Amino acid sequence: METPSSRPDDRGRDDADDRSVHDPASSPGSPAAESATDGEPSLADMLGATAAGDQASFAAFYDATADVVHGLAMLMHEDSDGADTATVAVYRHLWDQAGERARDLRLQTAASQSLTDEHADAEASYRPDEYEQVLEWLVPLAHRIMVERFREGQATPIRLQVVAEEGGISGLPEEVVDDLSALSDSQIQAIALSYLVGATHLEIAEAVGAAVPAVKSRLRDGMTRVHSRRTAREEQVDPVLRAAVTRRDVLRSSGINRNFTREISADLEKGLLVELAEVYALDAIDERQRALLDESALTAASDVAQEWDTRVLAARRSLAEVFTVHPVRPPSHLIEEVLLDLGDQEVGMGMVEEFSEGTEEEGRREPLMKRWMVLAALALVVIVAGVLIWRVVAGGDVRQIADEAPDAERLEDLELAQGGTATAVLAESEDLGYADFSEVGTPDGAAYMVWLMPADAQGQPSSLGSYTAEELDEEIIEISDLAEHRSLVVTAEEVTGRERPAGDVVVEIPLQDGASGPSYGGPDTAQSPGEDSSGDDSPGDSADGE
């Protein structure tokens, strides 16, 4: 369970002059100001003029947007001094890189408009205005700058305490508690540690004692619930948001095995680029992993690239909605600090020299990488090439490797409760296996959910996604890290984003001899060890309902 923070006094907003909530209508370039005063330069115009050294335009851009950036900084930092310094760092970066940032803003705006138009219809007719489009570009940039400052030891993030027994987190800012209430405790835990503290998915796994693949799933599925909550309660449906997670997409589960591995590179080999979009948008990755994902998106097929762009944009829109809904006007002296000795200070942001989201005016744009990133990428190419050669020589895919293993164990004619059979091949020496289903019956009003149950009684199940009967019939379910799992379970249940089985068990395939552990599924299911009586699936914990 998440516990809201009472927030120290110096994080308050009691200074009427310096920390009052900002009225966007008073800012040049805001929607309200533009509607009231025709002919005012747009925010993009202001940033473009900044590139030419126009301090007045820069000050106007700052005045129009600083309340949102500072509000985010106040949520993320332990004290107001840290938030002030972070706000200054963001705008110093914008001044130093104004030319490139103005171009990025133009490209991002064009991409946002294109994706919104692509998915719009009579039901989903929402269009972001100019101010909102600037924020959906500026907020991710500001967030990356603040996260990088945390990781470089230049600032101290808000103190969040992991509640191991309940799977939750304490110290969560009150401003975001309601928006995250539809998530499970472990999903709140993962998203808060990534977005507010700046932890990578690997650091989160270590902090909460969870498997790395499970953390990736929590970040992805948690954002799905945030999308669903926004879509359900907003009058105008955002077409990008709806396209990112529709019921058809959830049921189809992208038509692939959605089970993450420990390594990003291995996930990409499995074709999970799009499934990593939310992890990317949350900045829950390091720079090497970001370079890998950027490169994969740049070289992906056009339909995959569009789906990636849609999912990343949807996540950023939702994150901006949740974490910048309480703008805070910064102290008046900050603009003086920003303007003082501009260009003479570095803000430690070589990692955002190219922040563009892969959009460009002609084709998709290659990001610039640091020299060490290039060397790392070259090393990765060599490694991947070696792995590919080995796979061709050794047998190609998981199914062939398992079939040809000397200790391969074959389990056949396992009956499914809804009709059909399953066959599994397990290779202990290779630590992998697969399951194949045939003549699968159609469950009434539900989908098939596939789970890997942990060998450790204290572990958490890992979802491999949801399938229709046809998809389960066609799909080969690959199983890696065989020793870490006791069984593969298929349940029939509604797709809600839960993190453990809750429906009727259709079939359970043992992956180890004498495997036993906590029970899941069905109305009388035993509670898993360490699970709160309310669990992660208490009322209000579903992505399909409030």
Side-chain angles (χ1 to χ4, degrees):
M1 180 70 115
E2 74 281 359
T3 304
S5 168
S6 59
R7 316 301 292 277
D9 292 341
D10 66 348
R11 296 178 61 89
R13 303 187 176 99
D14 53 354
D15 188 329
D17 293 329
D18 288 346
R19 299 193 182 278
S20 59
V21 174
H22 183 41
D23 179 5
S26 66
S27 300
S30 70
E34 288 180 353
S35 62
T37 309
D38 292 336
E40 283 288 329
S42 69
L43 289 170
D45 293 336
M46 294 176 192
L47 195 57
T50 298
D54 186 342
Q55 290 194 11
S57 292
F58 178 65
F61 183 89
Y62 173 93
D63 188 55
T65 58
D67 56 350
V68 173
V69 172
H70 193 61
L72 176 63
M74 290 285 286
L75 287 181
M76 293 177 63
H77 288 77
E78 177 60 24
D79 53 52
S80 58
D81 288 343
D84 292 350
T85 303
T87 301
V88 170
V90 170
Y91 285 93
R92 278 182 176 155
H93 170 80
L94 287 174
W95 173 270
D96 290 340
Q97 305 288 334
E100 295 178 15
R101 298 292 79 82
R103 180 172 183 267
D104 290 346
L105 173 56
R106 183 175 70 253
L107 296 173
Q108 172 62 28
T109 299
S112 173
Q113 292 172 340
S114 176
L115 286 171
T116 303
D117 291 342
E118 175 73 22
H119 298 297
D121 56 23
E123 179 184 346
S125 58
Y126 164 80
R127 293 292 191 285
D129 55 40
E130 196 254 353
Y131 183 73
E132 292 169 324
Q133 287 177 334
V134 169
L135 292 186
E136 71 183 29
W137 164 82
L138 177 58
V139 170
L141 172 61
H143 183 261
R144 283 190 62 191
I145 290 175
M146 295 178 199
V147 165
E148 184 66 11
R149 286 171 55 80
F150 292 156
R151 294 176 184 176
E152 292 179 354
Q154 298 179 17
T156 303
I158 182 175
R159 293 182 182 178
L160 299 181
Q161 183 66 43
V162 172
V163 183
E165 295 79 7
E166 300 179 8
I169 198 160
S170 63
L172 199 64
E174 294 179 359
E175 294 91 332
V176 303
V177 169
D178 180 63
D179 285 296
L180 300 181
S181 61
L183 280 61
S184 70
D185 288 341
S186 57
Q187 288 168 349
I188 294 174
Q189 190 181 66
I191 289 178
L193 289 174
S194 65
Y195 200 77
L196 292 177
V197 178
T200 67
H201 64 280
L202 293 172
E203 292 168 339
I204 296 169
E206 182 177 357
V208 305
V212 172
V215 170
K216 294 178 189 175
S217 295
R218 292 170 187 177
L219 294 172
R220 176 195 62 198
D221 298 342
M223 287 307 303
T224 297
R225 290 193 179 191
V226 174
H227 295 336
S228 298
R229 183 178 176 86
R230 284 189 61 207
T231 301
R233 72 182 183 183
E234 293 184 358
E235 294 183 4
Q236 282 187 301
V237 177
D238 184 340
V240 170
L241 210 63
R242 188 189 61 177
V245 52
T246 63
R247 188 162 186 82
R248 177 173 177 269
D249 289 333
V250 173
L251 285 172
R252 289 186 70 252
S253 189
S254 301
I256 58 176
N257 183 339
R258 299 172 75 210
N259 188 32
F260 288 117
T261 69
R262 178 177 174 82
E263 300 295 335
I264 294 288
S265 57
D267 291 335
L268 293 175
E269 285 186 40
K270 290 181 62 178
L272 296 179
L273 170 65
V274 174
E275 298 300 317
L276 290 163
E278 290 76 21
V279 180
Y280 180 94
L282 283 159
D283 293 324
I285 49 178
D286 61 30
E287 288 310 301
R288 180 186 62 82
Q289 294 161 343
R290 180 177 295 278
L292 289 176
L293 291 171
D294 283 337
E295 184 65 23
S296 294
L298 289 167
T299 58
S302 58
D303 58 334
V304 175
Q306 184 184 59
E307 189 175 357
W308 163 266
D309 289 340
T310 299
R311 291 266 292 262
V312 171
L313 179 59
R316 285 178 169 164
R317 284 184 179 178
S318 288
L319 289 168
E321 176 73 18
V322 171
F323 291 99
T324 66
V325 73
H326 297 283
V328 181
R329 192 171 183 84
S332 57
H333 65 82
L334 284 195
I335 184 60
E336 299 173 5
E337 291 187 31
V338 173
L339 295 174
L340 182 64
D341 297 327
L342 282 174
D344 292 338
Q345 299 194 34
E346 296 289 339
V347 294
M349 283 306 297
M351 45 75 78
V352 292
E353 288 175 356
E354 281 297 331
F355 186 71
S356 301
E357 301 311 318
T359 57
E360 61 179 358
E361 293 161 284
E362 294 183 6
R364 295 177 66 82
R365 176 184 177 192
E366 275 198 355
L368 297 179
M369 296 187 293
K370 291 182 178 180
R371 182 176 301 175
W372 71 266
M373 292 183 188
V374 175
L375 294 176
L378 290 174
L380 178 68
V381 170
V382 173
I383 293 172
V384 171
V387 170
L388 290 176
I389 293 172
W390 174 84
R391 287 173 68 94
V392 170
V393 173
D397 56 24
V398 169
R399 185 174 184 178
Q400 188 169 352
I401 294 171
D403 285 338
E404 295 179 355
D407 61 339
E409 179 185 4
R410 189 175 184 88
L411 307 177
E412 296 183 312
D413 298 326
L414 303 172
E415 294 186 359
L416 279 62
Q418 303 284 347
T421 60
T423 298
V425 177
L426 312 174
E428 183 178 355
S429 61
E430 300 289 349
D431 200 26
L432 52 73
Y434 68 89
D436 190 10
F437 299 85
S438 61
E439 300 181 359
V440 178
T442 302
D444 295 332
Y448 287 116
M449 298 291 297
V450 182
W451 310 84
L452 283 174
M453 312 308 293
D456 183 354
Q458 300 299 323
Q460 294 293 326
S462 176
S463 171
L464 301 190
S466 56
Y467 297 82
T468 64
E470 293 78 12
E471 291 165 350
L472 192 61
D473 208 323
E474 297 173 357
E475 185 75 19
I476 300 294
I477 304 298
E478 297 177 357
I479 308 166
S480 57
D481 300 322
L482 203 62
E484 296 181 7
H485 306 103
R486 64 179 174 83
S487 64
L488 183 143
V489 172
V490 179
T491 60
E493 57 186 279
E494 293 186 1
V495 179
T496 61
R498 292 186 175 94
E499 294 187 358
R500 51 176 60 85
D504 295 329
V505 175
V506 175
V507 67
E508 180 168 10
I509 302 174
L511 304 181
Q512 298 184 25
D513 293 336
S516 62
S519 302
Y520 299 89
D524 300 319
T525 296
Q527 188 171 298
S528 63
E531 181 183 350
D532 190 353
S533 59
S534 60
D536 279 350
D537 304 317
S538 56
D541 199 31
S542 167
D544 293 336
E546 303 302 324

